[in-house]
Amino acid sequence: MELGNQIRHYRNEQGLSQEALAEKIFVSRQSVSNWENDKTYPDIHTLLLLADAFGVSLDALIKGDVDTMKKEISQQTLNGYRRDGTLFSIFLILSVLAVPVISFWYDVIGPVVTLALAVVLTALSFYYCGRVELYKKQFDLQTYKEIVAFENGASLEELEALHAARPPKRAWHVVVKILVAALIGAVVSYSLLALLNALL
């Protein structure tokens, strides 16, 4: 790839250190270093900021790397997906665990605190679930294999090959998934409530 050399060339031409360039385009110095060493690829927004910082056109900056850029998923995108997925899992688990705890301590903590806890945990779960779904929609991730491949840094070409091998989608699959998720949540909540009652 030529972009790393181009960034280094224009940065030196402007007399900028990696840190000074990073500050100019609102990224870390490590990001600039990774680009220059072809370890990662900046996203399109960052490319526009780089071109503006160097006073050159986007075409001049990326030269023959357009095809490569289309095939690569930026590390920032992948990190964002992983972070949002982890936070969604944490808040979902807390929401499920909170049901028996809130039910058990309802008389002690009162209805206002109970409602506030339930609303906050549910809202956070939905927020991060929505963010994960946006990533899945953007990259058309539908099967477990596709999600795992994406998390492991697969290229867009590899994801497209998985899309082609995707089994036909059936409407009843969605209904079954919802019912299974609801059943698991109910069983876990009821079990924890029973355990708390037994212990106290």
Side-chain angles (χ1 to χ4, degrees):
M1 292 191 293
E2 290 294 317
L3 182 63
N5 292 331
Q6 288 289 92
I7 293 173
R8 187 181 296 107
H9 166 74
Y10 285 118
R11 178 176 63 77
N12 291 332
E13 195 175 68
Q14 298 277 327
L16 296 170
S17 65
Q18 287 184 343
E19 190 169 347
L21 176 59
E23 286 177 10
K24 253 185 137 172
I25 60 171
F26 314 108
V27 298
S28 67
R29 186 206 62 79
Q30 187 62 43
S31 293
V32 175
S33 175
N34 286 340
W35 299 335
E36 291 187 358
N37 292 304
D38 293 327
K39 290 182 180 176
T40 59
Y41 215 90
D43 59 30
I44 190 66
H45 175 69
T46 308
L47 283 171
L48 291 169
L49 290 174
L50 282 166
D52 187 54
F54 295 144
V56 299
S57 70
L58 189 57
D59 287 344
L61 179 63
I62 60 178
K63 280 192 167 181
D65 281 349
V66 175
D67 290 337
T68 303
M69 188 177 70
K70 287 179 180 174
K71 293 175 185 175
E72 299 248 344
I73 298 169
S74 78
Q75 191 62 42
Q76 289 174 332
T77 300
L78 197 53
N79 289 342
Y81 172 81
R82 289 172 178 159
R83 180 198 63 233
D84 292 343
T86 301
L87 289 171
F88 166 60
S89 299
I90 289 169
F91 287 118
L92 180 63
I93 290 167
L94 287 176
S95 296
V96 172
L97 294 177
V99 171
V101 173
I102 289 172
S103 299
F104 189 80
W105 292 103
Y106 179 81
D107 292 333
V108 177
I109 63 178
V112 175
V113 176
T114 300
L115 181 62
L117 281 172
V119 167
V120 167
L121 289 173
T122 303
L124 287 169
S125 297
F126 275 105
Y127 174 73
Y128 285 105
C129 176
R131 287 181 62 90
V132 169
E133 287 302 315
L134 284 175
Y135 284 107
K136 288 169 68 178
K137 184 175 181 180
Q138 180 183 354
F139 295 99
D140 193 22
L141 306 175
Q142 294 183 18
T143 67
Y144 178 73
K145 281 184 180 179
E146 291 167 7
I147 293 170
V148 170
F150 179 77
E151 288 179 349
N152 290 331
S155 67
L156 292 178
E157 280 184 349
E158 291 169 325
L159 288 176
E160 285 170 10
L162 288 172
H163 295 163
R166 187 184 292 162
K169 195 172 182 181
R170 294 179 175 85
W172 60 269
H173 286 175
V174 177
V175 176
V176 170
K177 286 178 186 175
I178 292 170
L179 291 174
V180 168
L183 181 63
I184 291 171
V187 168
V188 170
S189 297
Y190 179 78
S191 301
L192 287 172
L193 185 58
L195 180 64
L196 281 172
N197 283 328
L199 291 174
L200 303 171

